[in-house]
Amino acid sequence: MKIKANILFDFVRKVSVNGAVEGSCYNATESGLKVITKDSTNQVIAEGLLRKEAFAVYDDTKLLVRNNKRCMDFLSQFGNVEVTLSNVENDLIISGKIGVRTFNANMKSVSEDMLDGNLKEIPASLSFDMKPLRVNCDILSSAKKHTDMLKTKSMTLTGANNKLSVTVGEDQFDLITQEQELVTDDFKVKLPEMFLQVVDVVAGEVDMFVKTDYPIKLVEKTKDYELSIITAPISE
């Protein structure tokens, strides 16, 4: 396989939630490179498809990545330079050239069954049959900044009176709330610190599937990839 390093870096960053998901199996399908994975705390499940059209050369290579963060670190030095990917005896081989120098990374892996974050499919118990809300991620990114201001680690999303509200802070203490008009059903869901990491990796407009005290799903689509991230709520 061959692909520009920055495209692969961005995809790995998103589906691993910036390395929060340690290891993943990237399966070659007819549509592209597909992955379903979860973090070690079972708070987040991410599903991604890197479309085969994003590749300069696409084949049926299965990529076993034991350490997504280390893979990202290696890819980051190449920018938009093409890299070659292969899997040899479960080792991930990444090679590329910067100027006159050729770089080769042999990243030791394990069998697919040994990758803790790897999933075969989304659990059947998770159903998202509600109508999605089309939301610009700016409102979530601003709320994340507010968590830093108030030294808190969660945010609450509320839908009421055709408005989406995003609140940071705790009752009886300082609160910062953003509101925007949006046709929505009524709901309220409090989301954990892990959701703040999810906010860091999504961009632009996303489809948000949300209802009261239920996992939230964000779906982002571009010409290169499809991404879906599910985050468990805080139970109160």
Side-chain angles (χ1 to χ4, degrees):
M1 287 184 176
K2 288 186 178 181
I3 189 171
K4 287 185 176 180
N6 58 335
I7 295 175
L8 182 59
F9 171 89
D10 199 39
F11 181 70
V12 173
R13 182 178 68 88
K14 287 174 179 288
V15 296
S16 72
V17 192
N18 206 26
V21 176
E22 186 173 9
S24 307
C25 177
Y26 298 79
N27 291 290
T29 70
E30 290 184 1
S31 302
L33 209 59
K34 185 175 182 179
V35 57
I36 306 176
T37 193
K38 66 179 178 67
D39 78 304
S40 60
T41 66
N42 293 316
Q43 292 183 81
V44 165
I45 295 176
E47 180 177 16
L49 175 71
L50 184 56
R51 306 184 202 280
K52 66 179 181 181
E53 291 81 8
F55 290 80
V57 177
Y58 183 75
D59 55 38
D60 61 354
T61 300
K62 176 185 290 188
L63 304 178
L64 299 173
V65 180
R66 180 172 57 88
N67 190 315
N68 282 305
K69 185 66 168 65
R70 189 169 297 161
C71 178
M72 289 160 50
D73 288 343
F74 184 72
L75 289 170
S76 66
Q77 65 190 318
F78 289 101
N80 65 352
V81 172
E82 260 183 22
V83 293
T84 300
L85 311 167
S86 58
N87 188 34
V88 179
E89 296 181 354
N90 287 339
D91 290 350
L92 172 63
I93 312 298
I94 307 175
S95 59
K97 194 170 184 179
I98 302 175
V100 297
R101 293 176 295 161
T102 298
F103 293 75
N104 293 286
N106 186 323
M107 297 188 173
K108 295 295 181 182
S109 189
V110 293
S111 67
E112 183 176 349
D113 292 339
M114 295 289 289
L115 290 171
D116 289 340
N118 191 48
L119 292 176
K120 299 293 186 183
E121 59 187 15
I122 301 293
S125 58
L126 292 173
S127 174
F128 295 92
D129 54 1
M130 66 286 280
K131 184 178 179 180
L133 305 178
R134 191 68 174 167
V135 176
N136 192 298
C137 289
D138 286 350
I139 192 171
L140 301 177
S141 298
S142 293
K144 184 177 182 299
K145 292 178 182 177
H146 297 156
T147 65
D148 294 333
M149 293 178 194
L150 299 184
K151 308 301 182 187
T152 187
K153 298 181 183 299
S154 64
M155 67 175 70
T156 299
L157 275 57
T158 305
N161 302 316
N162 286 327
K163 287 184 179 179
L164 170 65
S165 301
V166 183
T167 301
V168 170
E170 302 293 338
D171 291 341
Q172 312 305 320
F173 295 94
D174 294 342
L175 294 170
I176 300 176
T177 298
Q178 300 175 80
E179 289 184 345
Q180 73 174 65
E181 292 185 0
L182 197 67
V183 177
T184 174
D185 294 332
D186 290 353
F187 67 85
K188 185 175 183 179
V189 61
K190 186 173 184 179
L191 297 162
E193 184 177 5
M194 182 60 75
F195 186 70
L196 306 184
Q197 297 185 53
V198 173
V199 170
D200 272 341
V201 300
V202 293
E205 290 195 339
V206 297
D207 287 328
M208 178 188 292
F209 296 79
V210 59
K211 64 181 179 181
T212 296
D213 296 334
Y214 192 79
I216 184 173
K217 180 167 78 168
L218 302 182
V219 177
E220 178 187 345
K221 296 182 181 181
T222 73
K223 65 180 181 62
D224 292 327
Y225 60 80
E226 296 180 17
L227 172 73
S228 169
I229 304 181
I230 299 168
T231 308
I234 295 174
S235 298
E236 294 186 306

